[in-house]
Amino acid sequence: DNGDGGVRITGSKKTARVSGWSVRSALGLKDTLFTIEVNNEVGQQFKRRYRRLDGAPGKATSSVYPVPRGWDRPRGRAQDFRHGRMTWVKATDKVLWQWGRVLAHYDAQKREKSVLGMPASDTWGKRSYRGARYVNGVIVWSKDTGAHHVWGSFDDAYVRHGGVKGPLGLPLKRRDG
């Protein structure tokens, strides 16, 4: 809230501001000083995997939504959690959990709409590096090199040469020119 008073209501398509009195009246409250807490439940298609992960993704922070967002024919469904995102991929009927810097890099690339496409693995790796596979590539992160993605024919060559464990090692920042 920016201190303008009233209540800001945010929906999937629009945000509106209404007076506290309007909300109080609509909800039958005795005062305009109130708090609303939204608790999202773990989506039905994610519950089994969530239990197998022993709750590691943390509390759900969104409801379930189709991905990619805005597409007429979604390729899956996702739900955000305190520690990452779970995605059900329709093509493979798998639920994947991605988190941390790998997920942040994926989000920065425009997620499912990026050149990487839909997720194809959980976040994996050792303490020194983390990564995740996507339909069209891979993202690898390390403290020393940061997060980078490799895709297309470069990804094919990277995998053929052993990926992170091969002689090429961790991907580095692209050099232009």
Side-chain angles (χ1 to χ4, degrees):
D1 190 18
N2 62 6
D4 290 341
V7 176
R8 185 178 66 207
I9 301 172
T10 304
S12 62
K13 297 185 185 212
K14 177 177 168 178
T15 298
R17 182 169 291 281
V18 296
S19 74
W21 288 103
S22 296
V23 174
R24 174 190 144 305
S25 178
L27 297 177
L29 302 173
K30 295 180 180 182
D31 196 346
T32 58
L33 183 60
F34 58 88
T35 301
I36 297 175
E37 183 177 318
V38 176
N39 291 310
N40 292 295
E41 296 291 322
V42 175
Q44 192 61 39
Q45 63 265 58
F46 301 113
K47 283 184 179 181
R48 183 173 170 204
R49 182 71 198 280
Y50 186 85
R51 283 191 292 268
R52 283 192 9 233
L53 290 168
D54 199 24
K59 184 178 176 181
T61 59
S62 77
S63 55
V64 176
Y65 54 91
V67 290
R69 289 180 171 170
W71 284 25
D72 291 337
R73 293 189 182 139
R75 295 182 178 172
R77 299 184 67 70
Q79 186 169 18
D80 300 321
F81 292 84
R82 181 170 286 137
H83 304 291
R85 178 181 307 120
M86 294 181 82
T87 304
W88 170 73
V89 180
K90 184 177 182 179
T92 59
D93 193 28
K94 289 185 177 178
V95 173
L96 305 170
W97 175 42
Q98 296 187 336
W99 48 274
R101 302 280 172 94
V102 171
L103 179 61
H105 185 79
Y106 182 59
D107 288 352
Q109 302 309 307
K110 298 193 167 109
R111 298 175 50 158
E112 299 87 3
K113 294 179 183 177
S114 73
V115 295
L116 296 165
M118 291 292 288
S121 80
D122 292 329
T123 297
W124 45 261
K126 302 178 179 191
R127 289 181 186 217
S128 59
Y129 64 86
R130 301 269 186 231
R133 185 132 273 307
Y134 299 86
V135 171
N136 301 316
V138 65
I139 294 174
V140 180
W141 169 89
S142 81
K143 185 177 178 183
D144 295 335
T145 64
H148 302 286
H149 61 281
V150 181
W151 61 280
S153 58
F154 293 105
D155 178 49
D156 295 339
Y158 188 63
V159 170
R160 215 173 28 255
H161 289 90
V164 173
K165 295 179 182 177
L168 295 172
L170 295 164
L172 302 174
K173 184 175 181 175
R174 183 181 87 187
R175 292 187 192 149
D176 292 324

